[in-house]
């Protein structure tokens, strides 16, 4: 446990350091919310991957693997499909018109400030709820490690709030890139551990045949796992903001498509981990199966895997936090209440709104712990 905690501390300090490095890249509102449209292909692919990997695909994927076997991949495949749909239907339209948020598109399409502000408010409420859920997921992780869940959730949230409020979208892109790499190699290490421990033989012996069927449930269940996530990509405020942060239209179009295919290993590996966990720990709750597996690994590998799970939570939280800020500062304050505000003043306001929004999300998350 001491080694795991040491790895987590090093990781958290690294995230904070990146935030301070990007301070000069977020002085105006445009820089804060879009990193000055500087996003290249690699970092944009990583931000797309980071947003979907999140608590859903990593922890949730392991849970689905424990519950359904290999058929648990369908939720993650829906996430992959969402990016392909977004790229082909929305990305070029958004980039060419300079839309930063969904309310931007609504304001231009319907010439209605009221409709735009209403959508901004609804999106803020929904995104704060999503961030609160991620904070709860972080608390569950610390609880599984035998640590204080409330303290862990507060530390996790504060780290995200700090680097987001200091460096804005630049910090999100840089930290998501590192988080994506950490998650990828950590999950590979976990799969290697399972293979070397005879895990695949254990799965074959202990799991029912349905665990190895790609569709082990009804067609209705398949639709519920695949389609809602896929269609959500078309109205994802976070995807709108990423598109606005791309350096050119080519990146805006191809980054989500590349991310969709790059996500596939992230979809499959947690499901396999969940299947192994079900075979090795048949009485463990599915929701915590990932942690059951991780804590039995080599301490260094366990520390990296725990950092990967934290990365997943943080990469979902940070872009959500920036999306709330974009709705508040760009859609409500700047384009509706005070169009004459300077970019510098809006940049300072963006930093403050980011921190306040994070505190609200933290309070919501803690209120149900």
């Amino acid at each position: 446990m001491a080694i795991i905690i040491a790895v987590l501390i090093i990781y958290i300090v690294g995230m904070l350091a990146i935030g301070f490095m990007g301070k000069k890249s977020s002085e105006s509102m445009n820089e804060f919310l879009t990193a000055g449209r500087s996003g290249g292909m690699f970092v944009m692919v990583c931000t797309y991957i980071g947003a979907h990997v999140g608590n859903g695909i990593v922890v949730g994927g392991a849970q689905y693997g424990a519950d359904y076997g290999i058929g648990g991949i369908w939720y993650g495949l829906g996430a992959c499909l969402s990016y392909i749909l977004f790229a082909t239907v929305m990305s070029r339209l958004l980039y060419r018109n300079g839309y930063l948020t969904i309310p931007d598109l609504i304001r231009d399409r319907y010439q209605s400030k009221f409709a735009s502000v209403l959508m901004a408010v609804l999106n803020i409420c929904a995104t704060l709820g999503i961030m609160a859920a991620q904070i709860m997921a972080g608390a569950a992780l610390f609880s599984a490690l035998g640590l204080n869940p409330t303290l862990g959730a507060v530390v996790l949230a504060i780290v995200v709030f700090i680097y987001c409020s200091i460096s804005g979208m630049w910090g999100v892109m840089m930290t998501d890139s590192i988080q994506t790499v950490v998650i990828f190699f950590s999950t590979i290490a976990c799969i290697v551990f399972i293979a070397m421990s005879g895990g695949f033989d254990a799965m074959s012996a202990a799991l029912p045949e349905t665990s190895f069927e790609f569709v082990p449930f009804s067609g209705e269940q398949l639709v519920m796992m695949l389609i809602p996530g896929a269609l959500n990509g078309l109205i994802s405020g976070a995807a709108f903001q990423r598109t606005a942060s791309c350096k050119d239209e080519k990146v805006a179009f191809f980054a989500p498509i590349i991310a969709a295919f790059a996500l596939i290993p992230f979809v499959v590996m947690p499901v396999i981990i969940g299947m192994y966990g079900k075979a090795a720990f048949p009485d463990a709750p599915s929701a915590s199966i990932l942690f059951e597996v991780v804590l039995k690994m080599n301490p260094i590998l366990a520390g990296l895997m725990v950092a990967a799970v934290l990365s997943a939570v943080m990469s979902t939280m940070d872009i959500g936090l920036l999306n709330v800020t974009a709705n508040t500062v760009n859609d409500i304050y700047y384009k509706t209440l005070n169009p004459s505000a300077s970019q510098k003043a809006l940049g300072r306001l963006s930093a403050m709104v980011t921190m306040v929004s994070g505190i609200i999300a933290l309070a919501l998350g803690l209120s149900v712990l």
Side-chain angles (χ1 to χ4, degrees), residues 47 79 81 85 114 178 246 248 257 259 268 296 337 339 354 362 369:
T47 60
L81 181 58
L85 289 174
F114 174 78
I178 294 175
C246 294
D248 55 43
I257 293 177
V268 175
K296 298 300 185 292
L337 301 176
T354 299
L362 177 59
L369 287 179

Side-chain angles (χ1 to χ4, degrees), residues 12 32-33 39 100 103-104 117 143 149 166 186 200 235 253 293 302 314:
I12 288 172
F32 191 93
L33 297 179
L100 175 61
D104 264 347
V117 171
S143 179
I166 292 175
S186 297
F200 290 102
I235 56 169
F253 178 74
V293 175
M314 293 168 73

Side-chain angles (χ1 to χ4, degrees), residues 83-354:
Y83 281 157
I84 295 175
L85 289 174
F86 178 81
T88 54
V89 176
M90 301 295 293
S91 61
R92 287 194 173 104
L93 169 69
L94 301 180
Y95 192 84
R96 290 171 183 173
N97 288 278
Y99 296 138
L100 175 61
T101 62
I102 295 174
D104 264 347
L105 186 153
I106 290 176
R107 181 183 292 103
D108 185 52
R109 175 65 178 81
Y110 298 104
Q111 298 297 307
S112 171
K113 289 185 178 181
F114 174 78
S116 175
V117 171
L118 178 61
M119 178 56 70
V121 171
L122 293 174
N123 192 62
I124 288 169
C125 294
T127 307
L128 287 173
I130 292 171
M131 288 192 294
Q134 292 300 312
I135 291 169
M136 292 166 60
L141 168 61
F142 286 101
S143 179
L145 294 174
L147 302 174
N148 187 308
T150 301
L151 178 61
V154 170
V155 171
L156 175 68
I158 289 176
V159 170
V160 176
F161 304 160
I162 290 175
Y163 76 68
C164 282
S165 63
I166 292 175
S167 57
M169 190 65 181
W170 187 91
V172 170
M173 293 192 302
M174 295 302 107
T175 53
D176 279 2
S177 297
I178 294 175
Q179 289 163 358
T180 298
V181 172
V182 169
I183 295 168
F184 182 70
F185 285 104
S186 297
T187 48
I188 287 178
C190 191
I191 295 296
V192 171
F193 165 80
I194 290 172
M196 294 179 66
S197 302
F200 290 102
D201 290 336
M203 283 187 273
S204 297
L207 298 179
E209 290 185 6
T210 55
S211 295
F212 302 95
E213 297 177 4
F214 281 97
V215 186
F217 32 63
S218 67
E220 180 181 357
Q221 179 67 27
L222 175 62
V223 169
M224 291 302 297
M225 290 183 70
L226 179 68
I227 301 303
L231 295 180
N232 180 66
L234 298 175
I235 56 169
S236 167
F240 274 54
Q241 198 163 346
R242 290 190 206 94
T243 300
S245 303
C246 294
K247 69 177 183 179
D248 55 43
E249 188 175 324
K250 179 181 178 181
V251 173
F253 178 74
F254 283 106
I257 293 177
I258 295 172
F261 288 99
L263 263 173
I264 294 175
F266 292 98
V267 170
V268 175
M269 288 189 288
V271 171
I272 293 174
I273 294 170
M275 292 173 67
Y276 168 73
K278 186 66 173 179
F281 314 103
D283 297 326
S286 297
S288 62
I289 203 72
L290 179 69
F291 308 125
E292 295 285 348
V293 175
V294 167
L295 294 179
K296 298 300 185 292
M297 296 169 60
N298 172 283
I300 295 177
L301 291 179
L304 291 174
M305 194 62 196
V306 171
V309 177
L310 280 182
S311 297
V313 173
M314 293 168 73
S315 61
T316 305
M317 286 176 57
D318 56 20
I319 189 62
L321 194 56
L322 264 291
N323 194 229
V324 169
T325 301
N327 289 144
T328 304
V329 178
N330 178 72
D331 300 320
I332 297 176
Y333 181 75
Y334 176 51
K335 293 190 174 179
T336 305
L337 301 176
N338 189 10
S340 62
S342 69
Q343 280 290 314
K344 291 287 186 182
L346 292 170
R348 292 191 294 271
L349 179 62
S350 296
M352 289 189 291
V353 169
T354 299

